[in-house]
Amino acid sequence: VTELASYSTIGHTIENRKRINASAPVPSINLPCRPTRITAPRSHIIDNQLYRTFSSNSDDDVDSSPLTEPRESMQYDVVIVGGGPAGLAASIRLKQLCSSKGIDLSVCILEKGSEVGSHILSGNVFDPRALEELLSHNNSEEDSDSNATWMEELMESQDSHATPVSEDAFLVLTESGGSYQIPNVLLPSQLHNDGNYIISLSKLTRYLGEMAEGMGVEIYPGFAADEVLYNNADDDGNGNGAVKGVATKDVGIAKDGLPKDTFERGVELVGRQTLFAEGARGSCSESIISKFDLRREAGADVQHFGLGIKEVWEVPEEKFKKGFVQHTLGYPLQSSVMDKVYGGSFLYHQEPNLVLCGLVVGLDYENPYINPYLEFQRWKTHPAIKSHLEGGTCIQYGARVLNEGGYHSLPKLTFPGGMLLGCSAGFLNAVKIKGSHCAIQSGIVAAESVYESLTTGENAEEKTVASMGEIDADEPALEVTQYAENMEKSWVYDELKEVRNCHEAFSKWGVGGGLLYTGIAAHITKGKEPWTLPTPIGSNPQPKTDSTATKPAKDFQPIKYPAPDGILTFDLLTNLQRSGTYHEDDQPSHLRIKADVAKVPENISLQVYAAPESRFCPAGVYEYVEEKLVINAQNCIHCKCCSIKMPQEYINWTVPEGGGGPQYQVM
């Protein structure tokens, strides 16, 4: 019912804009928030099984299926997929340019979370460089009557502090409970946090969302972009032409594949340019990278990922150290200088009394018995960590994958009809342990490139959707290559290039060699070394992905983890409730086994690798019952880890009904 109410809102927008002829939508209603639930196990679904179910359960012609009914359509100058830092920055910069240049563009954002910020998770020590550049354009406007800083505005808007970093520590933890601090003078300059702030990125995103809406951006939270639309598409939606937009997911489909009384067809959002800012491993972005072969076009390596697991604690006043930042290596992930498990931890003190703590585990680890969630719980028991949390209360939990491939893994950024922004492209600096500043900067550069492209030329203003109400059918699809050219000239590329070989050094020589190489690169060569360390190659001639990095279980011993105490450490399902995760019960699983590898779970994953998905998933989605895979899709917190680390990548991660997933508030 909640999804139906949301669709009525977008229905009213369609009707009011007079883009289509349609019957009046159901009136919008206000409903209470849905309760957090942990579901009972659900059986898995094979990819495309849903569509076969629609056909096989109807005696009518397939064309009469609700799934094939024409979709309503809305047209914009710019459609942005994803309401995170990159997408919101792009929308704000576009509207700033509309105001200063005098030619208006219509802009909309689709966000699959129930509200802007509800799916946003990050460390987060925040580098404000890009944000301050973005907001400086607001301050230059004549109608600006406020001299408030972004920190003050964030506090007023979201009641959330931006705490300046006051102390920076980097420790190496030992298994015996000891720790050694690395002097800051020996650390790479990119690890220094002078001038940075400890924030909640989910709160900052909400603040930017309010700003964008105030400028005239149409934001639709609770709408999941399910399908990329192409020009010259065939009946199956495939096309060899330009991207023309996206379609939102149908809602009101039962888990047996049949439409319910609440069934609503998805809506097509068509744009002159479509900007994909879904975050790491976004489903639409990945399909575009594959379709246009954007990695090969750029000569890029495969992307590598880490899994970040995070908790937020409220701690007593005597434990709180305003502005304190601590990162660690060593225990529990590395026990020797040759250990090749890539990862480390973070712990930040944010006003008024919060401790943000987490562990990042590189997904190119070899041992299938590693359980990242339990490694995180074990990490908290180390004296150097435990001392910050004792007497406190854990108030939120979550997890998300992050890009770690860096400079060498960046794909071609543009394609006919659109472009990739932020973590959809891979703009994260793993050495700096930051990506939000790069994401915001990519949004700024994308907006400036798109605006110039859409408003230059004869009768440019008359061709805008903001002016005409529709896209000129004779206008050719544009590939705004200026965006990629401008990004390559930006400080984002300079920053990533400086540490371009560091991840590969850890993979090649372990934590000791990786640290040594990173120190040399940061202090001396600064990315100008005349060599490139290749992505490690496995037993086949293809670059080794995080999935193929996993080795057979026979080469390792099971890891015995301590039982949770319910005070400092927690069982997974207890913590999962703190994420606020919810999905509509009666819908098909959005986690689908690819048809061509349908036998991999029971025959390979379980038998060869001892079911690693039952350990690496930070939401307990996957389990084997009597040697049969069961997928608890309702538990999914949208981290995307399963689409990366599964043996043979057998899971196709698709979007569930809009609004489903975690409900992060202070992440």
Side-chain angles (χ1 to χ4, degrees), residues 289-317:
I289 290 172
S290 175
K291 183 177 184 61
F292 291 102
D293 208 359
L294 298 181
R295 294 205 188 282
R296 186 187 64 81
E297 288 289 321
D301 291 335
V302 297
Q303 184 61 266
H304 291 279
F305 299 88
L307 175 64
I309 304 175
K310 179 181 177 181
E311 291 174 353
V312 177
W313 286 64
E314 290 182 340
V315 298
E317 182 179 352

Side-chain angles (χ1 to χ4, degrees), residues 21 37 71 90 92 151 170 198 221 226 259 356 376 501 504-505 526 534 553-554 570 587 590 606 634 646:
N21 295 318
R37 299 182 60 184
R71 288 182 290 218
I92 290 169
M151 297 84 78
F170 199 105
I198 304 167
D226 182 51
L356 324 179
F376 170 51
N501 285 322
E504 287 76 11
K526 297 186 180 296
K554 65 180 178 60
F570 310 101
Q587 66 172 307
H590 64 285
L606 179 62
Q634 271 202 301
M646 288 294 195

Side-chain angles (χ1 to χ4, degrees), residues 152-280:
E152 293 168 334
E153 291 178 349
L154 176 64
M155 185 64 189
E156 181 179 354
S157 169
Q158 300 297 321
D159 193 26
S160 183
H161 291 267
T163 303
V165 174
S166 61
E167 184 179 351
D168 214 345
F170 199 105
L171 306 181
V172 177
L173 307 182
T174 67
E175 192 170 353
S176 62
S179 62
Y180 305 92
Q181 183 167 349
I182 300 176
N184 284 357
V185 68
L186 298 180
L187 295 173
S189 60
Q190 294 197 25
L191 272 175
H192 295 175
N193 286 298
D194 297 337
N196 295 335
Y197 296 82
I198 304 167
I199 67 165
S200 160
L201 191 63
S202 59
K203 290 289 190 181
L204 181 73
T205 304
R206 289 176 171 89
Y207 158 65
L208 293 176
E210 289 182 354
M211 183 184 301
E213 282 193 308
M215 292 178 169
V217 178
E218 296 179 23
I219 302 179
Y220 297 112
F223 290 87
D226 182 51
E227 178 186 347
V228 180
L229 303 176
Y230 299 93
N231 288 322
N232 307 319
D234 57 25
D235 292 339
D236 293 325
N238 300 310
N240 54 13
V243 169
K244 69 175 184 178
V246 293
T248 64
K249 189 175 184 68
D250 296 341
V251 299
I253 300 174
K255 59 185 174 184
D256 62 5
L258 296 175
K260 299 182 288 188
D261 292 341
T262 56
F263 176 78
E264 288 281 339
R265 193 80 163 95
V267 177
E268 293 186 356
L269 290 102
V270 180
R272 299 168 71 196
Q273 282 288 297
T274 305
L275 281 53
F276 292 87
E278 301 173 285

Side-chain angles (χ1 to χ4, degrees), residues 117 135 189 219 222 267 292 400-401 471 478 483 549 565 602 638:
L135 300 185
S189 60
I219 302 179
V267 177
F292 291 102
R400 186 70 169 90
V401 299
I471 295 174
L478 300 175
Y483 165 56
D565 61 16
E602 286 84 6
H638 297 209

Side-chain angles (χ1 to χ4, degrees), residues 381-531:
T381 65
H382 192 282
I385 310 304
K386 182 179 180 180
S387 61
H388 293 270
L389 304 176
E390 285 180 316
T393 302
C394 181
I395 62 172
Q396 194 143 77
Y397 163 79
R400 186 70 169 90
V401 299
L402 56 149
N403 304 294
E404 290 186 340
Y407 182 83
H408 292 312
S409 296
L410 294 176
K412 184 172 182 283
L413 300 180
T414 62
F415 44 87
M419 57 188 63
L420 301 172
L421 277 60
C423 288
S424 282
F427 293 125
L428 182 137
N429 186 333
V431 172
K432 193 170 184 173
I433 324 174
K434 295 175 182 64
S436 304
H437 64 307
C438 297
I440 292 172
Q441 188 66 22
S442 74
I444 294 172
V445 175
E448 292 172 347
S449 303
V450 166
Y451 188 85
E452 181 177 350
S453 177
L454 297 185
T455 60
T456 300
E458 187 177 356
N459 301 321
E461 184 171 6
E462 296 177 7
K463 295 180 180 179
T464 67
V465 177
S467 174
M468 298 291 292
E470 62 183 5
I471 295 174
D472 183 350
D474 296 327
E475 182 181 50
L478 300 175
E479 180 171 355
V480 186
T481 57
Q482 182 184 353
Y483 165 56
E485 294 168 3
N486 291 343
M487 283 300 297
E488 289 174 6
K489 298 174 185 176
S490 73
W491 55 259
V492 174
Y493 269 64
D494 292 340
E495 185 178 296
L496 295 181
K497 188 172 183 178
E498 185 174 314
V499 293
R500 62 192 178 91
N501 285 322
C502 294
H503 180 271
E504 287 76 11
F506 277 89
S507 298
K508 189 177 182 67
W509 297 309
V511 64
L515 278 174
L516 179 61
Y517 189 95
T518 299
I520 294 172
H523 291 290
I524 302 174
T525 62
K526 297 186 180 296
K528 296 178 181 178
E529 53 266 37
W531 60 80

